[in-house]
Amino acid sequence: QGANNIGKRIDLFQHLKEQKSDIYCLVDTHFTQQDQNLIRSQWEFDCSFNSYSSNSRGIAILFNNTTEHKIHKQLKDAQGNYLIVDVSVQSKRLTLAAVYGPNLDSPQFFKSFFEEIDKIENESVIICGDFNLVLDPKLDYYNYKHINNRKARQLVLDEIEIRNLKDPFRLLSPLQRRYTWRRKNPLQQARLDFFLVSDDIQQNVIRCNIGISYRSDHSMVTLEINFFDIKKGKSLWKHNNSLLSDMEYINTINNKIKDIKQQYALPVYNYDNINDVPDDEIQFVIDDQLFLDTLLMELRGKSISFSSFRRKQTDKNEQEIIRKIKSIEENLTESKQDELDSDLEKLIHEKMKGMFLGQQLNG
């Protein structure tokens, strides 16, 4: 509900300092660019802003004076809905992104948001904020009749899966019903505010809690991480171009394209023969740009799952060859030397293929 009022802001800053956290991410601040220097002096420590207007939106990231950090780069949108910083915290470099999701069904907004995150190529990522959507309607809604912002929610869920992000609150409290936003008459509650962290970060999460609200209709969500023990995680996924010569992969992708066409084509078409319709003549129930974005997102997810399947298959074959070689070595005779040499050649070949695939998958 904003902190543009000076009295409220000073009181809020005092309350935050009493929490003794290292970093604070505030959304819907209602800060203006003209007031940023004043606000920085009132906070007394380092700050980053994406301000918009005195009565809507705005993001601020505040650092404690005891937190060793260095900001390398910042990305922000023109509407004050997100702020992304490339920052080193206690010698650990990571991407910290705070977001204020629009209160409308806008998958394009979140698509752009995640694309901006990709521009900072850190392996470690922490995303937080008010998403204005929930991840699990059964656990994260109270007294709701409908799921809000369905398309935007689905895009966020797809990005979570593709990037292997984790919701630390739900990891630590799988079935707990806690809410971060509420209103009266009628009473409604929802967990709209949450963290998403990369795989390497989630391994070092100590706790994630939802606190009480303070001069706001939203509750504070706190995340505690051991920054000194974060191990190197997975890098950004890149397409493995060697799959383009794999007929099983090509058939899988072609079938997925057909499925997406059938799912979004107008019901006037015969779905069994939809591939016979020229692509530039097909009409969809959604606009062409959204269809393209959806298609690319679906194909990326299918490519990731197929790459994982192929890698496991290669590893299994390699282990079987190793088992055979060990068996031959244990019972080696001169007559089996040729068989051993042949298996060794196969092992080297399969291992090189596996190494190449692994390098492609890990960028």
Side-chain angles (χ1 to χ4, degrees):
Q1 295 178 328
N4 192 46
N5 177 274
I6 293 179
K8 179 180 179 179
R9 184 167 63 241
I10 292 175
D11 183 46
L12 173 64
F13 284 179
Q14 181 60 36
H15 175 73
L16 293 179
K17 291 176 182 178
E18 291 172 356
Q19 310 309 307
K20 301 186 184 302
S21 295
D22 293 293
I23 305 171
Y24 306 86
C25 297
L26 309 182
V27 302
D28 196 23
T29 59
H30 298 191
F31 294 163
T32 64
Q33 293 186 5
Q34 293 81 0
D35 290 334
Q36 285 179 179
N37 288 334
L38 172 62
I39 294 169
R40 183 176 282 106
S41 67
Q42 291 173 335
W43 175 246
E44 299 179 318
F45 313 131
D46 194 17
C47 313
S48 293
F49 300 99
N50 183 12
S51 301
Y52 184 68
S53 77
S54 61
N55 57 12
S56 64
R57 301 198 283 276
I59 305 285
I61 298 178
L62 315 177
F63 294 88
N64 200 320
N65 67 328
T66 59
T67 304
E68 178 187 345
H69 70 281
K70 179 180 179 180
I71 296 176
H72 307 281
K73 185 179 181 180
Q74 299 184 57
L75 300 174
K76 60 184 74 174
D77 68 324
Q79 289 73 42
N81 281 106
Y82 62 74
L83 174 59
I84 304 168
V85 295
D86 175 9
V87 60
S88 293
V89 180
Q90 297 174 350
S91 300
K92 172 61 182 176
R93 190 158 179 171
L94 57 91
T95 300
L96 175 60
V99 61
Y100 182 35
N103 193 19
L104 50 86
D105 200 0
S106 178
Q108 184 59 42
F109 166 82
F110 285 103
K111 180 177 182 295
S112 300
F113 172 60
F114 281 104
E115 287 176 347
E116 289 295 297
I117 290 176
D118 287 343
K119 292 181 180 179
I120 302 177
E121 297 182 352
N122 291 327
E123 296 175 2
S124 301
V125 178
I126 300 176
I127 305 171
C128 64
D130 176 3
F131 288 75
N132 260 314
L133 53 82
V134 301
L135 300 181
D136 187 340
K138 293 182 179 179
L139 293 175
D140 297 335
Y141 273 151
Y142 175 83
N143 201 24
Y144 272 72
K145 295 181 179 179
H146 306 288
I147 298 175
N148 290 346
N149 303 333
R150 287 177 177 269
K151 294 178 182 178
R153 174 179 174 271
Q154 186 59 53
L155 188 141
V156 171
L157 291 174
D158 290 338
E159 293 290 346
I160 289 173
E161 180 178 0
I162 290 169
R163 299 161 183 272
N164 198 27
L165 299 173
K166 301 294 188 297
D167 173 3
F169 176 80
R170 193 53 71 203
L171 284 175
L172 297 173
S173 308
L175 300 176
Q176 188 175 10
R177 297 179 184 273
R178 291 291 306 278
Y179 309 103
T180 63
W181 174 86
R182 60 206 52 82
R183 75 175 177 191
K184 300 178 180 178
N185 301 322
L187 177 62
Q188 283 188 314
Q189 300 183 93
R191 190 171 73 98
L192 305 178
D193 311 78
F194 48 85
F195 282 91
L196 297 173
V197 300
S198 54
D199 188 61
D200 60 320
I201 295 286
Q202 72 93 14
Q203 298 174 25
N204 294 277
V205 170
I206 299 174
R207 60 181 59 88
C208 184
N209 296 321
I210 297 174
I212 61 174
S213 60
Y214 186 79
R215 305 197 68 168
S216 172
D217 56 347
H218 287 254
S219 297
M220 180 186 294
V221 185
T222 60
L223 177 68
E224 186 175 350
I225 301 170
N226 181 2
F227 274 111
F228 294 102
D229 193 32
I230 296 179
K231 299 178 182 179
K232 185 177 180 180
K234 299 179 181 179
S235 59
L236 291 175
W237 177 84
K238 296 182 180 179
H239 186 267
N240 174 16
N241 289 335
S242 67
L243 293 175
L244 298 177
S245 60
D246 187 323
M247 288 307 302
E248 185 178 353
Y249 170 76
I250 292 172
N251 290 334
T252 298
I253 291 300
N254 284 335
N255 289 333
K256 189 63 177 178
I257 292 173
K258 182 178 179 181
D259 291 342
I260 298 300
K261 283 183 181 179
Q262 291 177 343
Q263 181 178 353
Y264 290 101
L266 289 172
V268 297
Y269 297 103
N270 183 340
Y271 289 167
D272 293 333
N273 300 319
I274 195 167
N275 278 352
D276 297 332
V277 181
D279 289 340
D280 58 354
E281 295 182 9
I282 298 178
Q283 295 184 1
F284 300 102
V285 296
I286 57 178
D287 66 73
D288 291 347
Q289 183 61 51
L290 182 56
F291 173 79
L292 176 62
D293 294 340
T294 302
L295 178 64
L296 294 176
M297 182 176 62
E298 292 282 354
L299 295 185
R300 179 170 58 169
K302 182 60 69 174
S303 297
I304 290 173
S305 62
F306 188 92
S307 296
S308 177
F309 159 75
R310 187 61 83 212
R311 177 60 185 271
K312 291 177 181 178
Q313 193 177 54
T314 301
D315 290 345
K316 183 179 179 180
N317 292 339
E318 179 180 328
Q319 292 302 315
E320 179 62 18
I321 294 173
I322 291 174
R323 185 192 66 78
K324 289 181 179 180
I325 291 174
K326 287 182 178 179
S327 176
I328 293 173
E329 287 178 340
E330 291 173 357
N331 303 281
L332 186 61
T333 63
E334 186 174 347
S335 63
K336 291 186 177 181
Q337 185 64 51
D338 291 340
E339 184 179 354
L340 174 61
D341 291 341
S342 176
D343 281 341
L344 281 172
E345 288 183 8
K346 290 180 181 178
L347 172 61
I348 292 171
H349 179 68
E350 293 293 336
K351 191 170 184 64
M352 291 301 294
K353 282 175 59 181
M355 289 174 62
F356 174 74
L357 178 60
Q359 290 170 354
Q360 291 287 328
L361 291 175
N362 292 323

